[in-house]
Amino acid sequence: MNRPASISPSSAALPETAPQARSFLGHPLGLSTLFFIEMWERFSYYGMRAFLILFMTAAVAKRGLGLDTQTAGAVYGLFTSGAYLCSLPGGWLADRLLGQRHAVLWGGALICIGNLMLAIPAGLALFYGGLAVIALGTGLLKTNSTVIVGQLYQGASDSRRDAGFSIFYLGINLGAFLAPFVAGTLAEEVGYRWGFAAAGCAMLLGLAQYRLTKGWLGDAGLLPAASSAAERRRSRVLLFVGVALLGLLAAGAAAGWWSIDPRRLAQKMEWVLALIAVGFFAAVLLLGRLTVAERRHVAVIVLFFVSAAIFWAGYEQAGTTLNLFARDQTDRSLFGRFFATGLHPVTWYQSIAPLFVLLLAPVFAWIWVALGRRKLEPSGPTKLGLGLLQLGGSFLLMMLAAQLVVGSGHKAAPGWLVATYFLQTTGELCLSPIGLSNVSKLAPARLAGQLMGVWLLSISIGDLVAGLIGGEIGSGSVAAMPAQFLQMAWVGLISGAVLLAIARPVRRWMASA
């Protein structure tokens, strides 16, 4: 769950607010406001995400949508990918028109409305609309709540800043850990619509505390970045055009003017996102008037970008491939006597990764510091390589689990999924914060906002690919799973080995950053 914080392109230029006299764990009191809005937002997001593909693939008789697994995987990929893509316009809107404070409020309201739309059994059009509204709201809220955290401190020299972000990050994973036990259990035991309603109510609780404690934020995020009247007019025109286009698309879909094929759309979006990334990096390298050192730094960022996209394409299968494996091929009799089905909920497995993050993040931070004191800390490329190797190792475990299922005819023990999530989490802690940190160091100052923004594109591409892969694996037979898991293991292992092999020359290219 240790996803890079969404970053508004011009956040570095925003004013910063002095800490208040009262404090929250020794930090500005406004940090508690942001801690809880982020905790409830992640509760809402990971709560509904935990059972989203289960709902889509469940039979209509069981109050699901009855979609085939490939279509459901494509919808899942489009939604999770879109949530990160929307971070870019979310940051732009806050910078130009709303200010971060109001953007967070509007984002939370959209997330709440979107989940309540999903709770209404009114067909695919409303379902797709609800997912789109949640993605838009997520882009508004997550982007700008992170920016406000930074504005609570007096400046980059405030020694509490890093610890403040760590506390904020704790709220993210606390929400992600609790949500599957509440929203997921409601969805599976009472009805999927109740799970969506619980996710919407969680966001409503977050909004209520945000409104009640908004005074603790001082002036942080209250106003948009300074701009001319002409710039504001242009921004309003662009916003009006964007909203009109979205409204036209929604009306057309609801009226049946055109049909949506999620699989074809997801496959086309893969190419669109890849071309955007290639075009952006090509323009920066060829037309960006970079010095030799800057060109090398951007080339390293390209390498990190590709590594991150590969990692997220494997990691995000927690919500697709691994979720379906938990439902269909895992022995869930443990604690089954407490449930009418005799099985514990599938969604509980979605709490494992955030729990490991909560437990292991301080350990990894201590390890890097301890190694750094001894001048033994691995370089950024080495850490990314280790992260990919662990991702590959996690799919080797899944290959063995699938082989046992095929060979014995019995379901796999839960320990296989627990061990898989453990390796993926340790890989995440090697790759995600390290990649983000190194991009912030390597990016030329005049391109820092753009390169941080495009870094989110690696997550978006990975999420989309994860949905498509999950749909393909879930639609096949269990006999095909060992070979499919082995293919994914090779991707992680080979890409990790390549990064380790070239770590030394890459480190030299990074040396001047």
Side-chain angles (χ1 to χ4, degrees), residues 5 16 59 64 97 100 104 120 164 193 200-202 244 273 308 350 457 475 506:
E16 294 176 320
L97 294 172
Q100 281 74 31
V104 168
I120 300 171
R193 305 292 181 179
C201 290
L273 296 180
Q350 298 299 303
L457 191 59
S475 64
V506 171

Side-chain angles (χ1 to χ4, degrees), residues 80-352:
T80 54
S81 174
Y84 274 90
L85 273 183
C86 288
S87 294
L88 300 179
W92 178 86
L93 272 173
D95 285 346
R96 299 293 186 273
L97 294 172
L98 298 176
Q100 281 74 31
R101 184 91 64 86
H102 291 100
V104 168
L105 186 64
W106 280 104
L110 288 174
I111 291 168
C112 183
I113 292 168
N115 275 291
L116 296 180
M117 288 169 66
L118 299 182
I120 300 171
L124 280 177
L126 189 66
F127 174 73
Y128 291 150
L131 290 179
V133 170
I134 293 172
L136 291 170
T138 302
L140 273 172
L141 191 150
K142 276 197 67 63
T143 303
N144 296 297
S145 61
T146 307
V147 172
I148 300 173
V149 172
Q151 293 182 29
L152 291 175
Y153 297 90
Q154 290 180 321
S157 60
D158 193 324
S159 60
R160 301 174 301 167
R161 177 182 291 268
D162 286 351
F165 273 99
S166 296
I167 294 171
F168 180 70
Y169 167 70
L170 175 65
I172 292 173
N173 285 283
L174 185 59
F177 167 70
L178 295 173
F181 288 117
V182 180
T185 302
L186 274 174
E188 292 188 68
E189 292 298 309
V190 183
Y192 292 109
R193 305 292 181 179
W194 285 95
F196 290 123
C201 290
M203 191 68 259
L204 193 60
L205 284 173
L207 284 175
Q209 73 82 29
Y210 183 74
R211 289 284 294 171
L212 289 172
T213 62
K214 64 180 181 179
W216 295 350
L217 296 172
D219 295 331
L222 191 58
L223 299 174
S227 60
S228 66
E231 287 175 326
R232 289 194 294 273
R233 281 195 298 271
R234 285 195 296 269
S235 299
R236 291 190 186 98
V237 169
L238 285 173
L239 176 60
F240 176 80
V241 171
V243 171
L245 286 174
L246 288 174
L248 181 62
L249 288 171
W257 296 345
W258 50 73
S259 60
I260 299 174
D261 183 342
R263 276 185 281 178
R264 290 185 62 190
L265 180 59
Q267 289 162 358
K268 288 179 180 178
M269 278 298 295
E270 272 189 300
W271 287 103
V272 170
L273 296 180
L275 288 173
I276 289 173
V278 170
F280 174 82
F281 283 120
V284 169
L285 288 168
L286 298 176
L287 306 174
R289 298 179 181 178
L290 304 177
T291 65
V292 173
E294 287 175 337
R295 191 171 287 110
R296 288 177 175 175
H297 293 167
V298 173
V300 174
I301 291 174
V302 173
L303 179 65
F304 286 2
F305 178 94
V306 173
S307 302
I310 293 171
F311 182 85
W312 296 123
Y315 183 91
E316 263 302 309
Q317 289 182 57
T320 53
T321 307
L322 301 185
N323 218 5
L324 294 172
F325 189 90
R327 183 189 69 183
D328 301 330
Q329 310 300 337
T330 300
D331 180 2
R332 293 186 286 117
S333 59
L334 186 65
F335 306 119
R337 65 182 182 277
F338 299 111
F339 300 95
T341 60
L343 304 171
H344 62 253
V346 177
T347 49
W348 284 11
Y349 291 94
Q350 298 299 303
S351 289
I352 296 172

